[in-house]
Amino acid sequence: KLTGMKGGNKVVVEAHRHEGVFIAKGKEDALCTRNLVPGEAVYNEKRISVQNEDGTKVEYRVWNPFRSKLAAAILGGVDNIWMKPGSKVLYLGAASGTTVSHVSDLVGPTGVVYAVEFSPRSGRDLVNMAAKRTNVIPIIEDARLPARYRMLVGMVDVIFSDVAQPDQARILALNASYFLKSGGHFVISIKANCIDSTATAEAVFASEVKKLQAEQFKPMEQVTLEPFERDHACVVGAYRVPKKPKLAAS
Amino acid sequence: MGRLYILHESASGYGLFIASGIDEIGQNTEAVRNSVTDLNRFGKVVELVAFSPFESALDALNQCNAVSEGQMTDELRNFLEISLPKVKEGKKPKFKLGVSDPKIGSHIFEETKIPCESNEFDLELIRGIRLHFDKLIEGLKPGDLEKAQLGLGHSYSRAKVKFNVNRVDNMVI
């Protein structure tokens, strides 16, 4: 438990259930991550500095669930994000890198985030952000073509996917076949009307889950991103789950 | 069947492996999958033949740009011709080279007549090489590969965004 004083308000920062994630308890509770680059904000987010009992200072960055689907999923009560300090993460659809910067904080100096973004416009912000965070490897490429960036990526523990494309299940599967460890995990954000704007959101989520099951994925949980995003769900699961060895008859 | 070699392109350099324990596990994808996770088992299946580290950051970028486009560079050609058995004219080679991408495979074959393939089995072996890479290459310390990926990722991506990344002007529309 750490306490900080800013603007006369006493703020207490507590560890969240998910390792590497924190909650700042002030007038209103806020999700945050421990800033890997103290003194620097990435997208004008609020920073909170707190003092340890031994006098050293730690800085946190507030993580806005309206700007980050992963933060929305955490506040939505997702059971496991499969990312923690030291994790290797492949992030598809990195955009300008706002969420990537929090994942970078979360996995810390011993983790790695391979951040893939196709648009050069967002990619420029991503590259600039990565210049200050040495655990982020920026990759400006099409997530549909992992062969093009196979020299830049190692095996990862988890893939986070936020590509908002009709064939996103296929894109995730293709990347997993190159880079995701057997027994690794995936976290995918699904925007219903990006896939089929005529069906109900629930029907779209169900059909996407089926597609994932056909690709060696084992979906384990699904959370809605309401009230932060409309008609979005986040599905979390495992990849190439090893078959349990048969128990010897006793 | 003949011998199976595997090419693995990494951020630190080109690696050539031989799938020597192949007869033991058989050409069965499921069996390979099971042997891939455990380094003790995988180390018996796949062995390093040769490794050619990139000479400089610029060299690495040139290789990465070519590999990304499915093109074989002169450096890759040299590496393969020196490390693989000779392909004699008029004789059918007694080996095959497994590659990640059929596109680079066809370019290698066109230029050198080295027979290439890129099937499910090769791709499984390449997953194993990617997983154990820093233990398969002597002298590569943990973290070295990530450092190479970081440098290469930045130089590759900076060229893609085309603008001057040092100019910070967040455009708001």
Side-chain angles (χ1 to χ4, degrees):
Chain A
K1 220 177 216 184
L2 302 155
T3 53
M5 303 273 275
K6 203 153 197 185
N9 294 323
K10 191 165 180 180
V11 179
V12 179
V13 175
E14 287 177 3
H16 192 276
R17 181 165 61 81
H18 300 297
E19 203 185 336
V21 182
F22 298 86
I23 314 163
K25 303 211 156 191
K27 228 193 293 175
E28 280 172 30
D29 287 1
L31 207 62
C32 51
T33 53
R34 185 178 172 154
N35 196 355
L36 191 70
V37 190
E40 298 247 8
V42 173
Y43 53 103
N44 284 322
E45 71 283 13
K46 210 173 144 191
R47 284 171 289 133
I48 301 165
S49 185
V50 297
Q51 200 157 19
N52 281 329
E53 277 156 11
D54 63 2
T56 55
K57 276 189 174 169
V58 183
E59 190 178 273
Y60 296 86
R61 297 190 301 126
V62 171
W63 194 357
N64 185 344
F66 288 97
R67 297 193 59 174
S68 169
K69 285 163 201 126
L70 184 57
I74 290 171
L75 291 179
V78 70
D79 193 46
N80 201 329
I81 53 171
W82 302 101
M83 298 171 206
K84 58 175 201 263
S87 292
K88 290 181 180 172
V89 182
L90 173 58
Y91 193 121
L92 306 176
S96 302
T98 49
T99 303
V100 173
S101 71
H102 287 288
V103 175
S104 153
D105 284 350
L106 198 162
V107 301
T110 57
V112 182
V113 189
Y114 300 97
V116 181
E117 172 55 43
F118 196 28
S119 145
R121 183 186 283 272
S122 315
R124 182 164 65 148
D125 292 338
L126 177 68
V127 170
N128 279 328
M129 183 274 291
K132 289 178 181 153
R133 294 174 168 265
T134 54
N135 63 358
V136 178
I137 299 177
I139 300 170
I140 309 308
E141 260 303 349
D142 187 349
R144 285 194 174 85
L145 304 169
R148 292 185 63 98
Y149 48 86
R150 66 182 184 273
M151 279 177 72
L152 301 172
V153 183
M155 267 336 225
V156 300
D157 302 300
V158 55
I159 300 183
F160 179 85
S161 176
D162 183 17
V163 294
Q165 295 292 324
D167 57 339
Q168 59 179 14
R170 196 186 62 86
I171 295 172
L172 174 64
L174 196 56
N175 279 276
S177 76
Y178 276 83
F179 309 119
L180 185 56
K181 287 176 186 169
S182 296
H185 293 84
F186 69 91
V187 178
I188 186 169
S189 159
I190 301 169
K191 183 180 177 183
N193 66 17
C194 270
I195 290 157
D196 184 347
S197 54
T198 62
T200 65
E202 281 313 315
V204 172
F205 301 150
S207 90
E208 287 302 292
V209 164
K210 278 222 174 83
K211 286 184 206 166
L212 293 169
Q213 283 166 331
E215 301 274 12
Q216 304 186 64
F217 292 112
K218 186 185 168 193
M220 292 153 74
E221 61 172 320
Q222 179 181 328
V223 294
T224 164
L225 302 188
E226 306 274 356
F228 309 108
E229 302 277 355
R230 181 171 291 178
D231 290 338
H232 274 68
C234 188
V235 175
V236 181
Y239 183 58
R240 292 193 181 188
V241 183
K243 287 191 188 97
K244 275 188 193 133
K246 282 187 190 119
L247 292 171
S250 54
Chain B
M1 63 158 286
R3 293 175 172 203
L4 175 63
Y5 290 88
I6 300 284
L7 170 67
H8 180 66
E9 310 96 335
S10 80
S12 329
Y14 292 126
L16 185 71
F17 297 82
I18 186 162
S20 55
I22 219 169
D23 295 333
E24 287 158 46
I25 51 162
Q27 284 267 21
N28 173 329
T29 310
E30 188 63 37
V32 181
R33 255 179 215 172
N34 294 334
S35 69
V36 154
T37 336
D38 177 5
L39 179 62
N40 284 332
R41 283 167 78 186
F42 190 69
K44 284 173 194 144
V45 177
V46 162
E47 277 173 277
L48 180 71
V49 173
F51 180 67
S52 168
F54 299 138
E55 282 174 8
S56 63
L58 183 63
D59 180 30
L61 179 59
N62 290 336
Q63 305 302 326
C64 186
N65 281 329
V67 165
S68 172
E69 298 288 341
Q71 295 296 307
M72 176 185 64
T73 58
D74 291 343
E75 289 80 6
L76 177 56
R77 182 186 185 138
N78 275 339
F79 173 64
L80 291 174
E81 288 183 335
I82 290 168
S83 317
L84 285 168
K86 296 279 166 290
V87 178
K88 290 181 193 112
E89 237 176 282
K91 269 193 173 178
K92 205 173 171 250
K94 288 199 176 102
F95 69 94
K96 273 182 183 165
L97 179 65
V99 294
S100 300
D101 174 18
K103 214 168 142 197
I104 201 166
S106 51
H107 191 228
I108 292 171
F109 178 70
E110 273 166 35
E111 299 282 324
T112 64
K113 299 295 168 220
I114 292 168
C116 294
E117 58 172 36
S118 187
N119 59 35
E120 209 185 22
F121 183 75
D122 302 312
L123 298 180
E124 280 306 316
L125 291 175
I126 293 167
R127 276 175 61 86
I129 294 169
R130 194 183 299 283
L131 184 65
H132 301 297
F133 188 74
D134 52 2
K135 286 150 235 145
L136 294 168
I137 308 290
E138 217 174 297
L140 210 62
K141 294 188 292 294
D144 282 358
L145 183 63
E146 282 83 2
K147 264 181 223 151
Q149 289 167 342
L150 179 64
L152 189 53
H154 272 278
S155 57
Y156 184 83
S157 297
R158 268 199 300 266
K160 293 271 170 188
V161 296
K162 288 188 189 92
F163 322 88
N164 180 356
V165 291
N166 298 317
R167 227 179 65 199
V168 182
D169 57 342
N170 289 320
M171 260 189 285
V172 178
I173 313 162

